[in-house]
Amino acid sequence: MNRRLYPGRDYRRAQSIDELRELARRRLPNFSFEYVEGGSDDEFTLARNRAIFQSITLQPRTLRNVGTRDLRRDVFGKPSALPFMVGPTGFNGLLTAGGDLRLAEAAARAGIPFVLSNASTSSIEEIAAIDGIRAWMQIYLYRTRDHVAKLVERVRRLELEAIVVTVDSAIFGNREWDRRNYVRPLQLDLRNKLDVALHPEWVWDVLVPNGVPRFANLGDLLPPGKDSVKGAASALAAELDPSLNWDDIAWLRDIWKGKLIVKGMIHPADAEIALGYGVDGVVLSNHGGRQLDGSVSAMETLAEVARLARGRMSVFLDGGFRRGSDIVKALLLGADAVLLGRAALYGLAAGKGPGASHAIEILRSEVDRTLGLLGCSSLDELSPELIHAPAWRAAAQAVAGHAPHGAGEAGSNLDGRRMPIDAFS
C-alpha cells in the first residue's frame, strides 16, 4: 500500500504536526488556511525555516540510564514544564470561536507560558483569568502611543509577567498568496465565497451566531464600529510606524518595569544593542517567513546570539518548528526556549482546544523521545558533542564555552554573523 497521511477528521488520530496540518486544511475554508500557511513573495524564507533542521545532524550516546527523563526548563527563573511555549499569533478567532482563549487554556494545562497577540480576538482580561495561566502580552508600537501606554497599564494591572514587543512589522510583508483570495482588501472573491459555503462546520463555529470575530484589545485604537477582523485592516495599516527605532524601545522600557522581550530581530548586532537597552530577552524570528523573503532562519544566528547573551538575557526563537527534534536542536545551539506558531495553530484549527492540547502533547512526546535517544535524562545533559555536523557543533561549543570564539573545524564560520549557506545546502 502507498503511504498516506490520515485522511479523516478526528484530530486524536493525528500522529504528527504535519498530520494535524492536513486536518486543519480540510476543516478551514481556503482563505483562512492560507492566512495561517502563507509567506511573503516567493516563500523562500518559509521553506528555509524548515530545511535548516535537516542540516543539523545528531550523534547520540548509548548505554546511559535514561529510564526517567526531565523536560523542565526554567524561564526567567520560574519552572516551565516544557522547553517551548505558545507564541503570539493573530486573528485566531478565524480558526475557531474563542481561538486565543482555547490556545491559552491548552498552554495552561501543559504548564507552559502563553503569549497573547496584540491582534487577538480574546481580551487580556479573559486570558489572565484562566486558572494556572502564565501569560505574556505581545504588542506593536503603533503611532498612537497613548493606546500603547494604556495597553501597558492593563498588562501591569493584571500582573502579567512579560511584554513581547514585535519590531519586524513596521512595514507589511508582501503576502501575495493571501491577497489572491480577495477582489479588494478583505472582500473575498467569488471562488472563496463558494468555498466558505462548502465548510458549514466552520461557518457554524466561527460566524454563527456572533458574526465576524472582533479584536478584543484594540478598541480605543480603532474607529467606532471598525473593530472586526474585516473592518480594522485599513486602520491598523495606518498605525504601523516605519520610523520605529531604538528610542521607542527606550520609551517602552521606561514605562514597563516587568520582563521586556524584543521579538523579530535576527542579526546578532541587534541583539547586542538590545542588551544596552535593558531588555530581558529577545525572540529571534523572521516572522515565520511572512516579512522579508530571503532572510536567514533564526536557527542560523541562534548560536552567535546565545554566545553574546550568555548570562545577560534570555534567547528565544521561532520559525519552522514541527518536530520535537527541531526543538532539541535549538536547545543544543543555546536557546532558552522555543515559541510555537503554526504548529499550535494546526492543532487548534483541526480540533479546537483539545486539538491544540494534542499538538502540544505530540511535541512533548517527541522532545522526550529525542532526549532519551540521545542518551540524556534531562535537558541539562544536552551538550555540543551530540551534534555531528562540524560547523553546527563548533557553533554550539562556542556557546557552551567549550571552544574559543572563531575556533572550530573546517567549514565553521564562527567569526561571521551567521552560519554559512554551504553548511546546509
Side-chain angles (χ1 to χ4, degrees):
M1 296 178 66
N2 293 328
R3 286 181 169 184
R4 65 172 184 173
L5 296 177
Y6 167 60
R9 303 179 71 87
D10 184 354
Y11 72 88
R12 293 169 296 184
R13 294 190 59 182
Q15 301 294 310
S16 66
I17 298 299
D18 278 350
E19 208 151 40
L20 282 174
R21 175 188 174 275
E22 281 302 299
L23 269 69
R25 183 183 62 81
R26 289 193 288 269
R27 180 179 174 272
L28 296 178
N30 174 71
F31 86 94
S32 184
F33 183 74
E34 181 59 52
Y35 174 75
V36 172
E37 188 75 353
S40 62
D41 296 326
D42 295 307
E43 299 185 333
F44 290 139
T45 297
L46 187 69
R48 187 186 189 102
N49 283 351
R50 284 297 303 136
I52 196 72
F53 293 105
Q54 297 178 19
S55 69
I56 309 173
T57 49
L58 302 175
Q59 188 165 252
R61 300 296 303 272
T62 56
L63 294 175
R64 294 185 170 186
N65 184 353
V66 293
T68 59
R69 296 171 297 283
D70 186 357
L71 306 186
R72 290 174 297 180
R73 170 58 59 101
D74 279 358
V75 178
F76 291 137
K78 299 179 182 179
S80 177
L82 299 167
F84 58 86
M85 65 188 78
V86 177
T89 51
F91 301 174
N92 290 334
L94 283 176
L95 305 184
T96 187
D100 300 290
L101 198 60
R102 305 287 88 82
L103 267 180
E105 290 169 342
R109 284 192 294 270
I112 60 177
F114 171 78
V115 190
L116 180 66
S117 169
N118 201 166
S120 63
T121 52
S122 296
S123 71
I124 312 173
E125 289 76 12
E126 289 177 283
I127 300 301
I130 296 171
D131 187 40
I133 192 70
R134 186 177 179 184
W136 300 356
M137 183 68 198
Q138 180 264 337
I139 68 171
Y140 292 101
L141 287 172
Y142 294 118
R143 293 178 189 272
T144 305
R145 290 303 165 80
D146 183 58
H147 162 77
V148 179
K150 289 178 180 176
L151 195 58
V152 169
E153 180 56 36
R154 287 171 67 187
V155 173
R156 181 185 295 110
R157 187 171 62 250
L158 293 165
E159 300 182 342
L160 269 60
E161 180 179 13
I163 283 178
V164 180
V165 55
T166 295
V167 297
D168 61 357
S169 301
I171 298 173
F172 268 138
N174 181 34
R175 303 166 195 175
E176 293 176 0
W177 286 105
D178 190 34
R179 292 206 313 273
R180 287 187 175 99
N181 296 312
Y182 304 90
V183 292
R184 59 182 59 89
L186 292 180
Q187 182 174 329
L188 293 174
D189 61 19
L190 179 60
R191 178 177 62 92
N192 276 278
K193 287 179 179 178
L194 293 173
D195 181 66
V196 168
L198 293 174
H199 291 80
E201 178 189 352
W202 178 88
V203 170
W204 282 94
D205 175 29
V206 173
L207 299 183
V208 179
N210 298 316
V212 177
R214 298 184 176 277
F215 292 111
N217 298 301
L218 299 174
D220 63 338
L221 186 68
L222 303 173
K226 295 293 185 180
D227 61 343
S228 73
V229 170
K230 180 177 180 180
S234 60
L236 288 179
E239 282 289 336
L240 295 178
D241 187 0
S243 68
L244 185 68
N245 61 74
W246 286 106
D247 290 341
D248 301 297
I249 300 301
W251 173 81
L252 182 59
R253 176 75 284 180
D254 188 55
I255 68 171
W256 170 251
K257 303 307 180 185
K259 298 298 184 184
L260 180 61
I261 304 158
V262 178
K263 178 181 183 293
M265 59 180 55
I266 206 159
H267 201 295
D270 288 332
E272 196 162 19
I273 293 171
L275 280 165
Y277 281 82
V279 307
D280 300 287
V282 294
V283 179
L284 303 178
S285 175
N286 56 36
H287 214 98
R290 294 158 77 85
Q291 288 295 96
L292 175 65
D293 200 25
S295 169
V296 297
S297 161
M299 287 291 289
E300 293 174 83
T301 61
L302 169 59
E304 176 69 8
V305 172
R307 188 191 66 82
L308 292 169
R310 188 168 53 216
R312 296 190 288 172
M313 70 178 178
S314 295
V315 179
F316 311 110
L317 76 162
D318 64 15
F321 289 89
R322 301 289 185 274
R323 287 285 186 182
S325 57
D326 301 338
I327 294 169
V328 171
K329 289 173 182 179
L331 300 178
L332 281 164
L333 289 167
D336 289 291
V338 165
L339 274 68
L340 302 180
R342 291 181 179 92
L345 295 185
Y346 294 147
L348 181 71
K352 305 181 183 180
S357 288
H358 189 56
I360 292 171
E361 172 56 26
I362 286 173
L363 292 172
R364 186 211 63 79
S365 67
E366 290 178 349
V367 170
D368 178 66
R369 185 164 52 251
T370 301
L371 193 68
L373 289 172
L374 282 172
C376 300
S377 59
S378 76
L379 299 179
D380 292 337
E381 293 182 7
L382 293 172
S383 67
E385 69 165 352
L386 299 172
I387 300 176
H388 178 260
W392 292 107
R393 183 169 67 249
Q397 287 171 336
V399 175
H402 295 173
H405 180 55
E409 301 181 40
S412 69
N413 188 30
L414 296 181
D415 286 323
R417 288 300 191 180
R418 62 180 179 85
M419 293 299 296
I421 186 71
D422 58 5
F424 62 89
S425 60

